[in-house]
Amino acid sequence: MRFVVRVAVNAFAIWIVTLLPALQVTLIPFAPGEGLQVALTLLLVGLIFALVNTIVGTVVKIVAIPLYILTLGLISLVINGFLLWLTGVITANWDWGLRTGEFWLTVVAALLIGIINAVLGGLLRPRRDERSRR
């Protein structure tokens, strides 16, 4: 259930970022590109972004532990921008997906996605029953 919520929140955050033209992040929906196709494309891109964060992101973050210490955690902004860029590269092989512009604008877009994920993930995360923890 948590992964489904994570994918939905990712899709919403990516949608918000694509509404800001200054960030140069665009979404190319499935043909013909109407409401349902846009929603399905967002969910699929959100799924790919969640998988990239889970698989590639974990490995990169473990390898980058010395950089986290050296930069006091600021390298996480660059890593998250890289993961968003990688999602765009993965979906660039098809006629639909996420397209990103300049790398530093992608880093800003990833920062905005991270903020939205933190806020909505905290609000929508399924709660464990207090009795089941005891």
Side-chain angles (χ1 to χ4, degrees):
M1 184 67 179
R2 287 184 183 203
F3 190 74
V4 173
V5 170
R6 186 174 172 190
V7 169
V9 169
N10 273 339
F12 179 75
I14 291 170
W15 176 65
I16 293 295
V17 167
T18 59
L19 294 177
L20 303 172
L23 296 178
Q24 298 178 358
V25 176
T26 57
L27 182 77
I28 300 173
F30 296 120
E34 295 180 13
L36 179 63
Q37 289 84 11
V38 171
L40 289 175
T41 305
L42 279 168
L43 286 173
L44 194 55
V45 169
L47 173 68
I48 292 169
F49 188 56
L51 290 173
V52 166
N53 271 330
T54 302
I55 298 167
V56 177
T58 304
V59 172
V60 170
K61 289 172 186 173
I62 289 172
V63 170
I65 287 175
L67 289 175
Y68 275 95
I69 295 169
L70 186 65
T71 64
L72 302 175
L74 291 177
I75 193 69
S76 66
L77 297 173
V78 176
I79 290 174
N80 288 337
F82 167 73
L83 296 174
L84 183 62
W85 172 82
L86 186 61
T87 302
V89 168
I90 290 171
T91 61
N93 296 326
W94 299 292
D95 294 336
W96 56 270
L98 193 68
R99 304 296 185 265
T100 58
E102 295 179 22
F103 180 73
W104 292 110
L105 292 176
T106 305
V107 169
V108 173
L111 174 65
L112 185 59
I113 289 172
I115 291 170
I116 294 170
N117 278 338
V119 171
L120 290 181
L123 294 174
L124 299 176
R125 182 176 305 137
R127 305 274 186 233
R128 291 183 182 163
D129 189 41
E130 289 293 321
R131 291 175 279 157
S132 66
R133 285 195 228 172
R134 294 180 188 169

